[in-house]
């Protein structure tokens, strides 16, 4: 079953939801066929995308995390040079690209907007005059469906962070990353446009001009003794060109617990507002914090309202698992029934460590979301590969991002992070070389900054420029275009 079939089954109530085995478009790439050097041969004999890394994750047991982090309490970690033991073999620019793992949701939204236009064109003027009111109601229903899909995409964009406790490499100033997925119908480019503060800008577009997705991210990281908190400042903008709609939102907060003692675990929390600037519709999603008893861990709950603040749909689920949609009246009735049956029993109370040296124990909660009858499945996370825990908990999609084929070298920009020697060495399991290269690149960047200061020269970005978001008015970085013209002769030598 492909993603399109799964979506429609959920909408029509045909999805039983008894099984977690779900197939998406990438399922044909990550099959159980015999591997050749970690890759899957396709039907024509050409090697497909890789399904594993060249070397497994190294052990962090011999490193004293506390010896380093005790100097950083309350500080912003983006301004501190971190030991490579904290890293995973991807740049933050590649981590941003993981937003696109579930692009099929955007394609579904574009498809539904097309159906309205096709229906209007194919209906004769006489019949249409009698159906005008019905068509308007149908249009509003589909507009809300599109908003639900956009909300599901916003949730799916952070799903890959589940159990990803390694820190991506800080991009060097001027570093870039590109990804073209013809099978998924999009291409994406990102650039590190500022070093202090660290700002990454990205731009993705449909190959058939159906949508564009862009934004800039300033990740503020702080260490609070037992946890590291990440605030991903910046606005995400999704434009559906065929429907002339634009959506904006910001990502939730992220916290990594037990960086000193105990098992590492992640939670995301905060309110995310997804605004349709064309219609005034809004989706308000609450990424719930863990709470004292752990029942809310990973849970997401929210609603879609129109410009008059009338609620049309309730969304619920977990960002680590799935998202459902349901009518508000049905949702409230189910909630009242749960309260009446005494769903929150105190017998499940867990003892919480309060000592300064105790670990923040991850609650032992059931991961499966209970589907309320009448719900529509909007999105379900794709299963991770069985060896993911030995590969930095990468998803199938993440596993492919740093792959470098011989034919790419003459095509990629020389600033592409696939060419970074420190990330490449770490991916290959050579930690000593990775550490040396990381130190060399950081010193080279500092030396270049000193030279610019000496010559009173300002850094000039290549593919993005400062501006304002056309929908929110907030400061943003706007894609200038030209990247895919492949004119890279004047790019800086950053590696």
């Amino acid at each position: 079953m492909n993603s399109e079939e799964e979506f429609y089954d959920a909408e029509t109530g045909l999805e039983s939801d008894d099984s977690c085995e779900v197939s998406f478009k990438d399922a044909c790439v990550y099959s159980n066929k015999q591997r050749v050097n970690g890759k899957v041969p396709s039907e024509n004999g050409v090697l497909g995308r890789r399904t594993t890394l060249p070397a497994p994750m190294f052990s962090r047991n011999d490193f004293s995390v506390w010896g380093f982090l005790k100097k950083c309490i309350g500080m912003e970690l983006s301004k501190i040079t971190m030991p490579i033991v904290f890293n995973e073999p991807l740049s933050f620019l590649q981590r941003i690209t993981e937003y696109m793992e579930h692009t099929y949701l955007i394609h579904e939204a574009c498809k539904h907007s097309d159906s309205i236009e096709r229906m209007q064109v194919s209906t004769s003027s006489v019949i249409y005059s009698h159906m005008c009111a019905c068509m308007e109601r149908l249009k509003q229903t589909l507009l809300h469906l599109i908003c639900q899909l956009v909300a599901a995409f916003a949730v799916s964009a952070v799903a890959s962070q589940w159990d990803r406790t390694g820190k991506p490499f800080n991009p060097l100033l001027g570093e870039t990353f590109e990804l073209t997925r013809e099978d998924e119908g999009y291409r994406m480019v990102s650039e590190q446009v500022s070093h202090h503060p660290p700002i990454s800008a990205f731009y993705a577009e449909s190959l058939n001009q159906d949508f564009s997705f862009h934004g800039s991210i300033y990740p503020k990281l702080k260490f609070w003794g037992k946890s590291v908190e990440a605030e991903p400042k910046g606005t995400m903008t999704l434009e559906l060109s065929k429907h002339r709609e634009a959506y904006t939102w910001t990502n939730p907060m992220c916290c990594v617990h037990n960086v000193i003692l105990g098992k590492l675990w992640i939670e995301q929390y905060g309110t995310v507002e997804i605004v349709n600037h064309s219609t005034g519709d809004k989706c308000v999603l609450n990424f719930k914090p863990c709470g004292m008893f752990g029942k809310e861990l990973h849970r997401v709950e929210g609603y879609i309202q129109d410009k008059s603040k009338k609620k049309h749909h309730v969304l619920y689920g977990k960002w680590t698992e799935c998202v459902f949609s349901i009518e508000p009246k049905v949702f409230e009735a189910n909630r009242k029934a749960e309260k009446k049956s005494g769903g929150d029993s105190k017998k499940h109370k867990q003892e919480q460590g309060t000592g300064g040296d105790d670990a923040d124990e991850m609650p032992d909660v059931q991961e499966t979301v209970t589907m309320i009858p009448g719900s529509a499945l909007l999105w379900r996370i794709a299963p991770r590969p069985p060896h993911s825990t030995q590969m930095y908990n990468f998803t199938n999609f993440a596993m492919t991002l740093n792959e470098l084929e011989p034919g790419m070298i003459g095509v990629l920009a020389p600033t592409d992070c696939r060419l970074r020697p420190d990330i490449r060495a770490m991916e290959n399991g050579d930690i000593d070389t990775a550490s040396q290269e990381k130190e060399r690149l950081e010193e080279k960047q500092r030396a270049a900054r000193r030279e610019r200061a000496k010559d009173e020269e300002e850094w000039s970005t290549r593919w993005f420029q400062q501006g304002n978001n056309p929908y929110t008015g907030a400061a943003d970085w706007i894609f200038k275009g030209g990247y895919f013209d492949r004119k890279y002769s004047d790019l800086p030598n950053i590696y």
Side-chain angles (χ1 to χ4, degrees):
M1 180 185 294
N2 60 29
S3 59
E4 181 178 337
E5 290 169 340
E6 182 190 2
F7 174 82
Y8 283 113
D9 280 354
E11 282 297 307
T12 55
L14 300 177
E15 176 76 8
S16 66
D17 200 52
D18 292 331
S19 171
C20 291
E21 295 299 324
V22 180
S23 296
F24 291 119
K25 284 187 177 181
D26 281 346
C28 61
V29 176
Y30 309 107
S31 66
N32 292 322
K33 296 179 182 179
Q34 185 177 359
R35 296 175 182 174
V36 180
N37 294 327
K39 301 176 184 178
V40 180
S42 63
E43 295 299 329
N44 60 6
V46 177
L47 292 178
R49 296 181 184 87
R50 67 184 184 183
T51 58
T52 186
L53 298 180
M57 178 180 174
F58 61 92
S59 173
R60 295 188 174 105
N61 295 336
D62 297 331
F63 182 80
S64 175
V65 178
W66 176 242
F68 175 81
L69 287 181
K70 66 182 179 181
K71 306 173 185 177
C72 308
I73 296 178
M75 298 178 65
E76 185 180 338
L77 296 184
S78 61
K79 297 181 179 180
I80 300 170
T81 300
M82 306 286 286
I84 203 166
V85 69
F86 289 100
N87 289 96
E88 64 177 20
L90 287 178
S91 166
F92 185 68
L93 297 183
Q94 292 165 312
R95 192 75 174 261
I96 290 174
T97 306
E98 293 185 58
Y99 289 164
M100 303 300 292
E101 181 169 358
H102 302 282
T103 307
Y104 74 89
L105 290 166
I106 305 180
H107 288 308
E108 289 288 351
C110 294
K111 185 184 303 180
H112 282 285
S113 66
D114 285 345
S115 68
I116 285 290
E117 296 169 5
R118 287 197 299 268
M119 190 178 299
Q120 289 178 336
V121 170
S122 62
T123 306
S124 69
S125 59
V126 176
I127 298 176
Y128 184 79
S129 64
H130 293 288
M131 295 180 62
C132 186
C134 294
M135 285 290 295
E136 183 60 28
R137 288 196 294 271
L138 177 58
K139 181 176 181 179
Q140 291 302 317
T141 299
L142 289 178
L143 286 175
H144 294 146
L145 176 55
I146 294 168
C147 192
Q148 292 174 64
L149 289 166
V150 172
F153 175 73
V155 175
S156 75
V158 299
S160 68
Q161 296 186 39
W162 179 31
D163 280 348
R164 294 279 290 281
T165 53
K167 177 183 176 295
F169 281 70
N170 289 337
L172 301 170
L173 186 60
E175 183 175 312
T176 61
F177 182 71
E178 70 163 276
L179 181 66
T180 299
R181 288 291 298 267
E182 294 183 359
D183 57 328
E184 295 288 345
Y186 71 86
R187 63 185 184 183
M188 182 175 182
V189 61
S190 55
E191 178 183 6
Q192 190 69 7
V193 294
S194 174
H195 186 61
H196 288 304
I199 301 176
S200 307
F202 70 91
Y203 177 84
E205 64 183 9
S206 166
L207 296 180
N208 59 7
Q209 308 303 311
D210 279 348
F211 71 84
S212 63
F213 176 50
H214 51 90
S216 53
I217 300 178
Y218 167 20
K220 295 192 68 174
L221 306 178
K222 284 192 176 181
F223 174 55
W224 296 113
K226 292 188 292 185
S227 63
V228 173
E229 186 179 61
E231 180 183 4
K233 289 192 169 185
T235 301
M236 309 292 104
T237 302
L238 174 64
E239 295 176 284
L240 305 181
S241 55
K242 286 193 175 182
H243 203 57
R244 298 180 182 177
E245 288 187 337
Y247 298 81
T248 62
W249 68 90
T250 57
N251 286 323
M253 299 280 286
C254 179
C255 185
V256 180
H257 293 271
N258 297 339
V259 293
I260 304 298
L261 177 68
K263 180 182 178 181
L264 291 168
W265 60 281
I266 293 176
E267 67 171 328
Q268 303 206 57
Y269 46 83
T271 300
V272 174
E273 288 193 356
I274 304 169
V275 179
N276 183 331
H277 293 270
S278 304
T279 66
D281 293 344
K282 180 188 293 186
C283 179
V284 180
L285 291 174
N286 181 18
F287 285 72
K288 297 190 175 185
C290 173
M292 182 173 292
F293 308 128
K295 184 179 180 181
E296 305 299 326
L297 182 64
H298 300 156
R299 290 196 176 274
V300 181
E301 190 176 296
Y303 55 86
I304 291 176
Q305 67 179 32
D306 59 25
K307 60 183 178 182
S308 64
K309 297 186 178 181
K310 178 184 176 181
K311 294 182 181 179
H312 290 267
H313 300 276
V314 171
L315 306 184
Y316 69 96
K318 290 187 176 183
W319 61 267
T320 57
E321 186 178 342
C322 57
V323 174
F324 290 98
S325 172
I326 195 169
E327 293 294 324
K329 290 182 179 179
V330 180
F331 182 81
E332 291 302 326
N334 183 78
R335 172 172 282 180
K336 289 180 181 179
E338 282 188 344
K339 289 183 178 179
K340 190 174 181 180
S341 63
D344 291 337
S345 176
K346 292 184 179 180
K347 67 180 181 179
H348 296 297
K349 181 176 180 180
Q350 299 178 2
E351 296 295 329
Q352 301 293 312
T354 56
D357 296 329
D358 293 339
D360 293 330
E361 293 298 329
M362 180 176 177
D364 185 16
V365 295
Q366 185 179 7
E367 284 298 313
T368 301
V369 174
T370 302
M371 186 185 75
I372 303 171
S375 298
L377 175 65
L378 297 176
W379 163 80
R380 188 186 296 280
I381 196 169
R384 291 190 179 179
H387 56 283
S388 178
T389 54
Q390 288 80 47
M391 301 289 170
Y392 304 89
N393 287 308
F394 278 9
T395 64
N396 283 315
F397 185 83
M399 211 80 73
T400 69
L401 291 177
N402 203 48
E403 185 174 14
L404 182 63
E405 294 291 342
M408 291 182 178
I409 296 177
V411 178
L412 292 175
T415 50
D416 193 284
C417 47
R418 293 182 185 88
L419 305 176
R420 276 188 64 159
D422 51 351
I423 297 179
R424 184 62 56 192
M426 185 180 190
E427 179 182 272
N428 290 330
D430 189 346
I431 303 305
D432 291 338
T433 299
S435 182
Q436 294 168 6
E437 286 295 326
K438 181 174 180 287
E439 184 177 346
R440 180 185 67 80
L441 292 175
E442 289 169 348
E443 178 53 39
K444 182 174 183 177
Q445 181 171 238
R446 286 189 286 267
R449 184 170 63 248
R450 289 193 295 266
E451 285 297 316
R452 289 195 302 274
K454 179 180 178 181
D455 298 337
E456 298 183 349
E457 178 185 350
E458 294 290 332
W459 173 263
S460 179
T461 58
R462 178 63 192 270
W463 310 114
F464 293 81
Q465 63 185 7
Q466 282 186 296
N468 296 100
N469 188 286
Y471 306 103
T472 66
D476 207 345
W477 286 83
I478 311 301
F479 183 54
K480 295 190 292 186
Y483 176 87
F484 292 100
D485 294 339
R486 306 293 178 190
K487 298 178 180 178
Y488 304 142
S489 59
D490 58 344
L491 292 181
N493 178 9
I494 60 175
Y495 301 144

